[in-house]
Amino acid sequence: MQYRTIADTTVSAIGLGAMPLSIEHRPDETRAVATLHAALDAGVTLIDTADSYHWHADETGHNELLIARALARYGGDTSRVLVATKGGRGRPGDGGWTVDGRPEHLRRAAEASARRLAVDAIGLYQLHKPDPSVPWAESVGALRELLDAGTIRAAGISNVTTAQILEAHAVLGDGLASVQNQYSPAVRDGEAELQLSTRLGLAFLPWSPLGGISRSSLDGPSGPTSAGTAFHRVADDRGVSPQQIALAWLLARSPAVIPVPGAGRPASIADSAKAADLELTAEELARLDAAPPA
C-alpha cells in the first residue's frame, strides 16, 4: 500500500467510501463489517462516512455507528485509521437528500458524530455541501469554531467551487485539510478544483471515483455502467480490473488525490486497494487522458 497525507496525517492512497454499507440496498451487518475488515486487511487507513449515510429517517448516523462497531471488533491495530465524517446534509427517508449549513446545526452534528464514533475529536470533519440559504462564510465559520474547540482536528469541504475553496482557506488557514468533489472517468469537470487543491496543499478526495466504470450506490440496483472504454482496454492489457485502472489514473492526476471508492462486498475493496501499487505508463496515461468520458 502506498500512502499520502491529509494535513499532518498519513493515510493509505486508496480509502474506503462506506456509504454503500448503510443506504438503500445495503448489505446485512455481517457482510458490512466483513467489508470494513477487508479494507483494513488490505492496508486501507482512510474510511469516509457522514451522519447522513443512512436509509430510514430515524437512523441518522447509521454508518458512523457501524464503523465504530467494526473497528472495535477488528483484531488488529486500528490506531492509524482516520475516520473522516461529514455534516450538513440529511435524509428524510423518502430517498431524497436535504442540506443544512446553519452553524448551530453543524456544531450539534459534529458533537453527535464524535459520540457515535467514540472519539474525543474527529480526525477530519467535512462540510458536506454548501447550503444556498446560509452564507458560505457562516458555515465555514462553524468549522473554525469546531477546530478552536477541539471537537475536530482538521476540516474539509465537499461539493465546492474554486471560489468557495479560496474563501474557506482564507477563514480556516492550515485548519482546512481537504476537498471532496466528484471526479471520475465519467465526470472530469472538477479539474480546476483539483489543481487549486494541489496548489494549496489540500488533499483532494474524489467521490464516486469509479463513475462510468462501476455502478454508483446512488444509481440504484440497475444503474448504468460502461464497457469497452479505454479503461477497460488498458485493464485487459494489464490483466487487472478496470476499477483498478480508473483508480490508478486518478492517483496519477495529482499527488493530492486520495480516491474513496465505495464498496458493499469484501472483494470489491480488496480489489480497489491494489490500485495503490499500480503504476501506469506514460503511454497508458495519455490514452486514458484522451479518452472521452466513460
Coordinates of all heavy atoms in Angstrom, one line a residue, residues 107-175:
R107 N -22.5 22.5 14.4 CA -21.9 22.3 15.8 C -22.5 21.1 16.4 O -21.8 20.2 17.0 CB -22.0 23.5 16.6 CG -21.1 24.7 16.2 CD -21.0 25.8 17.2 NE -22.3 26.5 17.4 CZ -22.6 27.6 16.7 NH1 -21.8 28.1 15.8 NH2 -23.8 28.2 16.9
R108 N -23.8 21.0 16.5 CA -24.5 19.9 17.1 C -24.2 18.6 16.3 O -24.0 17.5 17.0 CB -26.0 20.1 17.1 CG -26.5 21.2 18.1 CD -28.0 21.1 18.3 NE -28.8 21.2 17.0 CZ -29.2 22.4 16.5 NH1 -29.0 23.5 17.2 NH2 -29.9 22.4 15.4
A109 N -24.2 18.7 15.0 CA -23.9 17.5 14.2 C -22.5 16.9 14.5 O -22.3 15.7 14.6 CB -24.1 17.8 12.7
A110 N -21.5 17.8 14.6 CA -20.2 17.3 14.8 C -20.1 16.7 16.2 O -19.4 15.6 16.3 CB -19.2 18.5 14.7
E111 N -20.7 17.3 17.2 CA -20.6 16.7 18.5 C -21.3 15.3 18.6 O -20.8 14.4 19.2 CB -21.3 17.7 19.5 CG -20.5 19.0 19.7 CD -21.3 20.1 20.4 OE1 -22.5 19.8 20.6 OE2 -20.7 21.2 20.6
A112 N -22.4 15.2 17.8 CA -23.1 13.9 17.8 C -22.3 12.9 17.1 O -22.2 11.7 17.5 CB -24.5 14.1 17.1
S113 N -21.6 13.3 16.0 CA -20.8 12.4 15.2 C -19.6 11.9 16.1 O -19.3 10.7 16.0 CB -20.2 13.0 14.0 OG -21.2 13.2 13.0
A114 N -19.0 12.8 16.9 CA -17.9 12.3 17.7 C -18.4 11.3 18.7 O -17.7 10.3 19.0 CB -17.3 13.6 18.4
R115 N -19.6 11.5 19.3 CA -20.1 10.5 20.2 C -20.3 9.1 19.5 O -20.0 8.1 20.1 CB -21.4 11.0 20.8 CG -21.2 12.1 21.8 CD -22.5 12.4 22.6 NE -23.6 12.8 21.8 CZ -23.9 14.1 21.5 NH1 -23.1 15.1 22.0 NH2 -24.9 14.4 20.7
R116 N -20.9 9.2 18.3 CA -21.2 7.9 17.7 C -19.9 7.2 17.3 O -19.8 6.0 17.3 CB -22.0 8.2 16.4 CG -23.5 8.5 16.7 CD -24.3 8.5 15.5 NE -24.0 9.7 14.6 CZ -24.7 10.8 14.7 NH1 -25.7 10.9 15.5 NH2 -24.4 11.8 13.9
L117 N -18.9 8.0 16.9 CA -17.6 7.3 16.5 C -16.7 7.0 17.7 O -15.7 6.4 17.6 CB -16.8 8.3 15.6 CG -17.4 8.5 14.2 CD1 -16.7 9.6 13.5 CD2 -17.4 7.2 13.4
A118 N -17.2 7.4 18.9 CA -16.5 7.1 20.2 C -15.1 7.7 20.2 O -14.1 7.0 20.6 CB -16.5 5.6 20.5
V119 N -14.9 9.0 19.8 CA -13.6 9.6 19.7 C -13.7 10.9 20.5 O -14.8 11.6 20.6 CB -13.2 9.9 18.3 CG1 -12.9 8.6 17.5 CG2 -14.2 10.8 17.5
D120 N -12.6 11.4 21.0 CA -12.5 12.7 21.7 C -12.6 13.8 20.7 O -13.1 14.9 21.0 CB -11.3 12.8 22.6 CG -11.2 11.7 23.7 OD1 -12.3 11.4 24.2 OD2 -10.1 11.3 24.1
A121 N -12.0 13.6 19.6 CA -12.0 14.6 18.5 C -12.1 13.9 17.1 O -11.4 12.9 17.0 CB -10.8 15.5 18.6
I122 N -12.8 14.4 16.2 CA -12.9 13.8 14.9 C -11.7 14.2 14.1 O -11.3 15.4 14.0 CB -14.2 14.4 14.2 CG1 -15.5 13.9 15.0 CG2 -14.3 13.9 12.7 CD1 -16.7 14.6 14.5
G123 N -11.1 13.2 13.5 CA -9.8 13.5 12.8 C -10.0 14.4 11.6 O -9.1 15.2 11.3
L124 N -11.1 14.2 10.8 CA -11.4 15.1 9.7 C -12.9 15.2 9.6 O -13.6 14.2 9.4 CB -10.8 14.5 8.4 CG -11.2 15.2 7.1 CD1 -10.6 16.6 7.1 CD2 -10.7 14.5 5.8
Y125 N -13.3 16.4 9.7 CA -14.8 16.7 9.6 C -15.0 17.6 8.4 O -14.4 18.7 8.3 CB -15.2 17.4 10.9 CG -16.7 17.5 11.0 CD1 -17.5 16.4 11.2 CD2 -17.4 18.8 10.8 CE1 -18.9 16.5 11.3 CE2 -18.8 18.9 10.9 CZ -19.5 17.7 11.1 OH -20.9 17.8 11.2
Q126 N -15.9 17.2 7.6 CA -16.1 17.8 6.3 C -17.5 18.4 6.2 O -18.5 17.8 6.5 CB -15.9 16.8 5.1 CG -14.6 16.1 5.2 CD -14.6 14.8 4.4 OE1 -14.2 14.8 3.2 NE2 -15.0 13.8 5.1
L127 N -17.6 19.6 5.7 CA -18.9 20.3 5.4 C -19.4 19.6 4.1 O -18.8 19.8 3.1 CB -18.7 21.8 5.3 CG -20.0 22.6 4.9 CD1 -21.1 22.3 5.9 CD2 -19.6 24.1 4.9
H128 N -20.5 18.9 4.2 CA -20.9 18.0 3.2 C -21.3 18.7 1.9 O -21.0 18.2 0.8 CB -22.1 17.2 3.7 CG -22.3 15.8 3.0 ND1 -22.9 14.8 3.6 CD2 -21.9 15.4 1.8 CE1 -22.9 13.7 2.8 NE2 -22.3 14.1 1.6
K129 N -22.0 19.9 2.0 CA -22.4 20.6 0.8 C -22.8 22.0 1.2 O -23.4 22.2 2.2 CB -23.6 19.9 0.1 CG -24.1 20.5 -1.2 CD -25.2 19.7 -1.8 CE -25.6 20.3 -3.1 NZ -26.7 19.5 -3.8
P130 N -22.4 23.0 0.4 CA -22.9 24.4 0.7 C -24.4 24.5 0.7 O -25.1 23.9 -0.1 CB -22.3 25.2 -0.5 CG -21.1 24.4 -1.0 CD -21.6 22.9 -0.8
D131 N -24.9 25.2 1.7 CA -26.3 25.5 1.8 C -26.6 26.8 1.2 O -26.2 27.8 1.6 CB -26.7 25.5 3.3 CG -28.2 25.6 3.5 OD1 -28.9 26.0 2.6 OD2 -28.6 25.3 4.7
P132 N -27.4 26.8 0.1 CA -27.7 28.1 -0.6 C -28.4 29.1 0.3 O -28.4 30.3 -0.1 CB -28.5 27.7 -1.8 CG -29.1 26.4 -1.5 CD -28.1 25.7 -0.6
S133 N -29.0 28.7 1.3 CA -29.8 29.6 2.2 C -28.9 30.1 3.3 O -29.4 30.9 4.1 CB -31.0 28.9 2.8 OG -30.6 27.8 3.7
V134 N -27.7 29.7 3.4 CA -26.8 30.2 4.5 C -25.5 30.8 3.9 O -24.9 30.1 3.0 CB -26.4 29.0 5.5 CG1 -25.4 29.5 6.5 CG2 -27.7 28.4 6.1
P135 N -25.1 32.0 4.2 CA -23.8 32.5 3.7 C -22.7 31.5 3.9 O -22.5 30.9 5.0 CB -23.6 33.8 4.5 CG -25.0 34.2 4.9 CD -25.8 32.9 5.1
W136 N -21.9 31.3 2.9 CA -20.8 30.3 2.9 C -19.9 30.6 4.1 O -19.4 29.7 4.8 CB -20.1 30.3 1.6 CG -18.9 29.4 1.5 CD1 -17.6 29.7 1.2 CD2 -18.9 28.0 1.6 NE1 -16.8 28.6 1.1 CE2 -17.6 27.5 1.4 CE3 -19.9 27.0 1.9 CZ2 -17.2 26.2 1.5 CZ3 -19.5 25.7 2.0 CH2 -18.2 25.3 1.8
A137 N -19.6 31.9 4.3 CA -18.7 32.2 5.4 C -19.2 31.8 6.8 O -18.4 31.5 7.6 CB -18.4 33.7 5.4
E138 N -20.5 31.8 6.9 CA -21.1 31.4 8.2 C -20.9 29.9 8.4 O -20.6 29.5 9.5 CB -22.5 31.8 8.3 CG -22.8 33.3 8.4 CD -24.2 33.7 8.6 OE1 -25.0 32.8 8.9 OE2 -24.6 34.9 8.4
S139 N -21.2 29.1 7.4 CA -21.0 27.7 7.5 C -19.5 27.3 7.8 O -19.2 26.5 8.7 CB -21.5 27.0 6.3 OG -22.9 27.2 6.1
V140 N -18.6 27.9 7.0 CA -17.2 27.7 7.2 C -16.8 28.2 8.6 O -15.9 27.6 9.2 CB -16.4 28.4 6.1 CG1 -14.9 28.2 6.4 CG2 -16.7 27.7 4.7
G141 N -17.4 29.3 9.0 CA -17.0 29.8 10.4 C -17.3 28.8 11.5 O -16.6 28.7 12.5
A142 N -18.4 28.0 11.3 CA -18.7 26.9 12.2 C -17.6 25.9 12.3 O -17.2 25.4 13.4 CB -20.0 26.2 11.9
L143 N -16.9 25.6 11.2 CA -15.8 24.7 11.2 C -14.6 25.3 12.0 O -13.9 24.6 12.7 CB -15.3 24.4 9.7 CG -16.3 23.6 8.8 CD1 -15.7 23.4 7.5 CD2 -16.8 22.3 9.4
R144 N -14.4 26.6 11.8 CA -13.4 27.3 12.6 C -13.7 27.1 14.1 O -12.7 26.9 14.9 CB -13.4 28.7 12.2 CG -12.4 29.6 12.9 CD -11.0 29.4 12.4 NE -10.3 28.4 13.3 CZ -9.1 27.9 12.9 NH1 -8.5 28.3 11.8 NH2 -8.5 27.0 13.7
E145 N -14.9 27.3 14.5 CA -15.3 27.2 15.9 C -15.0 25.8 16.4 O -14.6 25.6 17.5 CB -16.7 27.6 16.1 CG -17.0 29.1 15.9 CD -18.4 29.4 16.0 OE1 -19.2 28.5 16.4 OE2 -18.8 30.6 15.8
L146 N -15.4 24.8 15.5 CA -15.1 23.4 15.9 C -13.7 23.0 16.1 O -13.3 22.3 17.0 CB -15.8 22.4 14.9 CG -17.3 22.4 14.9 CD1 -17.9 21.8 13.6 CD2 -17.9 21.7 16.2
L147 N -12.8 23.6 15.2 CA -11.4 23.5 15.3 C -10.9 24.1 16.6 O -10.1 23.5 17.4 CB -10.7 24.1 14.1 CG -10.8 23.4 12.8 CD1 -10.4 24.3 11.7 CD2 -9.9 22.1 12.8
D148 N -11.3 25.3 16.9 CA -10.9 26.0 18.1 C -11.3 25.3 19.4 O -10.6 25.4 20.4 CB -11.4 27.4 18.0 CG -10.8 28.3 16.9 OD1 -9.7 27.9 16.4 OD2 -11.3 29.3 16.6
A149 N -12.5 24.7 19.3 CA -13.0 24.0 20.5 C -12.4 22.6 20.7 O -12.6 22.0 21.7 CB -14.5 23.8 20.4
G150 N -11.6 22.1 19.7 CA -11.0 20.8 19.8 C -12.0 19.7 19.5 O -11.6 18.5 19.7
T151 N -13.2 20.0 18.9 CA -14.1 19.0 18.6 C -13.6 18.2 17.3 O -13.9 17.0 17.2 CB -15.5 19.6 18.3 OG1 -15.9 20.4 19.4 CG2 -16.6 18.5 18.0
I152 N -12.9 18.9 16.5 CA -12.4 18.3 15.3 C -10.9 18.7 15.2 O -10.5 19.7 15.7 CB -13.1 18.7 14.0 CG1 -12.9 20.2 13.7 CG2 -14.6 18.4 14.1 CD1 -13.6 20.7 12.4
R153 N -10.1 17.8 14.5 CA -8.7 18.1 14.4 C -8.4 18.8 13.0 O -7.3 19.5 12.9 CB -7.9 16.8 14.5 CG -7.9 16.2 15.9 CD -6.9 15.2 16.2 NE -6.9 14.7 17.5 CZ -7.5 13.6 17.9 NH1 -8.2 12.9 17.0 NH2 -7.5 13.2 19.2
A154 N -9.2 18.5 12.0 CA -8.9 19.1 10.7 C -10.3 19.2 10.0 O -11.2 18.5 10.3 CB -8.0 18.2 9.9
A155 N -10.4 20.2 9.1 CA -11.7 20.4 8.4 C -11.5 20.2 6.9 O -10.5 20.4 6.4 CB -12.1 21.9 8.7
G156 N -12.7 19.8 6.3 CA -12.7 19.6 4.9 C -14.0 20.2 4.4 O -14.9 20.5 5.1
I157 N -14.0 20.4 3.1 CA -15.2 20.9 2.4 C -15.5 20.0 1.2 O -14.6 19.4 0.6 CB -15.1 22.4 2.0 CG1 -13.8 22.6 1.2 CG2 -15.1 23.3 3.2 CD1 -13.6 24.0 0.7
S158 N -16.8 19.9 0.8 CA -17.2 19.0 -0.2 C -18.2 19.7 -1.2 O -19.0 20.5 -0.7 CB -17.8 17.7 0.4 OG -18.2 16.8 -0.6
N159 N -18.2 19.3 -2.4 CA -19.1 19.8 -3.4 C -19.0 21.3 -3.6 O -20.0 22.0 -3.5 CB -20.5 19.4 -3.1 CG -20.7 17.9 -3.0 OD1 -20.5 17.2 -4.1 ND2 -21.1 17.3 -1.9
V160 N -17.8 21.7 -3.8 CA -17.5 23.2 -3.8 C -16.8 23.7 -5.1 O -16.3 22.9 -5.8 CB -16.6 23.5 -2.6 CG1 -17.3 23.4 -1.3 CG2 -15.3 22.6 -2.5
T161 N -16.9 25.0 -5.3 CA -16.3 25.6 -6.4 C -14.9 26.2 -6.0 O -14.5 26.2 -4.8 CB -17.1 26.8 -6.9 OG1 -17.2 27.8 -5.8 CG2 -18.5 26.4 -7.2
T162 N -14.1 26.6 -7.0 CA -12.8 27.2 -6.6 C -13.0 28.4 -5.7 O -12.2 28.6 -4.8 CB -12.1 27.6 -7.9 OG1 -12.9 28.5 -8.7 CG2 -11.7 26.4 -8.7
A163 N -14.0 29.3 -6.0 CA -14.2 30.4 -5.2 C -14.5 30.0 -3.7 O -14.0 30.7 -2.8 CB -15.4 31.3 -5.7
Q164 N -15.3 29.0 -3.5 CA -15.6 28.5 -2.2 C -14.4 27.9 -1.5 O -14.2 28.1 -0.3 CB -16.8 27.6 -2.2 CG -18.1 28.2 -2.6 CD -19.2 27.2 -2.9 OE1 -18.9 26.1 -3.4 NE2 -20.4 27.6 -2.7
I165 N -13.5 27.3 -2.3 CA -12.3 26.8 -1.7 C -11.4 27.9 -1.2 O -10.9 27.9 -0.1 CB -11.5 25.9 -2.7 CG1 -12.3 24.6 -3.1 CG2 -10.1 25.5 -2.2 CD1 -11.7 23.9 -4.2
L166 N -11.3 28.9 -2.0 CA -10.4 30.1 -1.6 C -11.0 30.8 -0.4 O -10.2 31.2 0.5 CB -10.3 31.0 -2.8 CG -9.4 30.5 -4.0 CD1 -9.6 31.5 -5.2 CD2 -8.0 30.4 -3.6
E167 N -12.3 31.0 -0.3 CA -12.9 31.6 0.8 C -12.7 30.8 2.1 O -12.4 31.3 3.2 CB -14.4 31.9 0.5 CG -15.1 32.7 1.6 CD -16.5 33.1 1.3 OE1 -16.9 32.9 0.1 OE2 -17.1 33.8 2.1
A168 N -12.9 29.5 2.0 CA -12.8 28.6 3.1 C -11.3 28.6 3.6 O -11.0 28.6 4.8 CB -13.2 27.2 2.8
H169 N -10.4 28.6 2.6 CA -9.0 28.6 3.0 C -8.6 29.9 3.7 O -7.8 29.9 4.7 CB -8.1 28.5 1.7 CG -6.7 28.3 2.0 ND1 -5.7 29.2 1.9 CD2 -6.0 27.2 2.5 CE1 -4.5 28.8 2.2 NE2 -4.7 27.5 2.6
A170 N -9.2 31.0 3.3 CA -8.9 32.3 4.0 C -9.4 32.3 5.4 O -8.8 32.9 6.3 CB -9.6 33.4 3.2
V171 N -10.5 31.6 5.7 CA -11.1 31.5 7.0 C -10.4 30.5 7.9 O -10.1 30.8 9.1 CB -12.6 31.2 6.9 CG1 -13.2 30.9 8.3 CG2 -13.4 32.3 6.3
L172 N -10.1 29.4 7.3 CA -9.6 28.2 8.1 C -8.1 28.1 8.1 O -7.5 27.5 9.0 CB -10.2 26.9 7.6 CG -11.7 26.8 7.7 CD1 -12.2 25.6 6.9 CD2 -12.2 26.8 9.1
G173 N -7.4 28.7 7.1 CA -5.9 28.6 7.1 C -5.5 27.1 7.1 O -6.0 26.3 6.3
D174 N -4.5 26.8 7.9 CA -4.0 25.5 8.0 C -5.0 24.5 8.5 O -4.8 23.2 8.4 CB -2.7 25.4 8.8 CG -1.6 26.1 8.2 OD1 -1.6 26.4 7.0 OD2 -0.6 26.5 9.0
G175 N -6.1 24.9 9.1 CA -7.1 24.0 9.5 C -7.9 23.4 8.4 O -8.5 22.3 8.6

